[in-house]
Amino acid sequence: PMSPLLEVAQISTIPSSEFIAALGGCYEKSPWVAERAHAAAPFASLAALASALREAVDGATDAERLALLRSHPDLAGKAALAGELTSESTAEQCHAGLSSLSADELARFTKLNEAYTARFGFPFILAVRNANKATIFAAFERRVTNSAAAELAEAVAQVHKIAWMRLNELVRPNPTGFLTCHVLDTARGCPAAGMRIELKRRVESSNGGGDSWAEVGSFLTNEDGRIVGGAPPQDGGM
């Protein structure tokens, strides 16, 4: 079973060693990012925590940022085939379908990985959690022709994106927002009253299979076509 998410208030008060242990994997094999971000505690929100992590990277030396980029594995590379990826990278590559490549696809990845690394000096980095093989190949072939400066900036941006996705699996955002809904019946030109609205959350598969959807709430619109409160719909709703 997955561990419960940490609260922002909780992560703001724990000692540096626990902070690093909890968030050190957000940036691939680079716990120094969490170590430096801890100095910015307490954090007002999940976004503030992410910003502190990002600023630790952006404020690092060029050599440290390059080492961070080089800490990332090739996509479908030797480390993946040998089962030597971090748990985070394993889940991400598996979810993108990179654990079930054909021989031709694997050969194509190997060729692109080699060409990219030879050109830029670090591996191709892409936030693949919500990508598929087609989009990864397209990004690969587009970016391998970039200038060195443009690709360095893109790689760092992708590292931050990966870290943000990982952070969201570890820390719960503060309950500071809400969703609203207003449904109009365009055929009759009036609010759509009594309509059943279901809110669902996508649950990612941990084994590379299809995602599922978990119901968060079910509601009925009022006479103004809006959702008020959190009461579930009554039997007989539309």
Side-chain angles (χ1 to χ4, degrees), residues 2-156:
M2 294 181 62
S3 300
L5 296 181
L6 297 166
E7 302 290 341
V8 175
Q10 177 186 4
I11 206 75
S12 292
T13 58
I14 60 178
S16 176
S17 59
E18 295 180 23
F19 185 91
I20 295 167
L23 304 183
C26 289
Y27 284 84
E28 187 80 5
K29 296 182 179 178
S30 302
W32 59 265
V33 179
E35 181 180 13
R36 295 180 191 180
H38 181 263
F43 308 101
S45 64
L46 182 60
L49 173 57
S51 179
L53 292 165
R54 173 187 290 268
E55 288 171 6
V57 173
D58 293 344
T61 65
D62 291 344
E64 287 172 325
R65 278 195 297 275
L66 180 58
L68 169 58
L69 297 182
R70 289 175 173 169
S71 294
H72 280 260
D74 286 335
L75 295 181
K78 293 179 181 178
L81 296 176
E84 297 173 351
L85 299 182
T86 62
S87 59
E88 295 88 353
S89 287
T90 298
E92 290 156 0
Q93 293 202 26
C94 183
H95 193 267
L98 301 188
S99 60
S100 57
L101 296 175
S102 67
D104 288 344
E105 289 170 333
L106 184 58
R108 188 178 176 191
F109 265 109
T110 299
K111 182 178 179 180
L112 286 168
N113 278 325
E114 291 175 350
Y116 183 96
T117 303
R119 178 174 173 82
F120 298 112
F122 50 83
F124 176 77
I125 300 170
L126 181 70
V128 298
R129 182 177 298 276
N130 296 320
N132 56 42
K133 288 180 283 190
T135 58
I136 295 169
F137 277 132
F140 227 139
E141 293 176 341
R142 172 181 59 82
R143 287 172 49 189
V144 76
T145 62
N146 277 349
S147 68
E151 192 53 27
L152 178 63
E154 178 65 24
V156 172

Side-chain angles (χ1 to χ4, degrees), residues 130-215:
N130 296 320
N132 56 42
K133 288 180 283 190
T135 58
I136 295 169
F137 277 132
F140 227 139
E141 293 176 341
R142 172 181 59 82
R143 287 172 49 189
V144 76
T145 62
N146 277 349
S147 68
E151 192 53 27
L152 178 63
E154 178 65 24
V156 172
Q158 291 295 326
V159 166
H160 286 315
K161 185 175 181 180
I162 292 167
W164 169 250
M165 292 177 175
R166 292 178 178 181
L167 184 63
N168 272 267
E169 292 191 336
L170 298 170
V171 183
R172 187 192 313 277
N174 293 332
T176 55
F178 64 93
L179 291 174
T180 186
C181 182
H182 188 200
V183 185
L184 299 177
D185 185 338
T186 56
R188 295 189 294 172
C190 63
M195 175 173 284
R196 185 189 302 269
I197 304 292
E198 292 183 354
L199 178 63
K200 296 184 178 182
R201 175 174 58 86
R202 190 177 72 175
V203 180
E204 295 183 351
S205 169
S206 60
N207 58 9
D211 294 344
S212 60
W213 293 87
E215 183 172 312

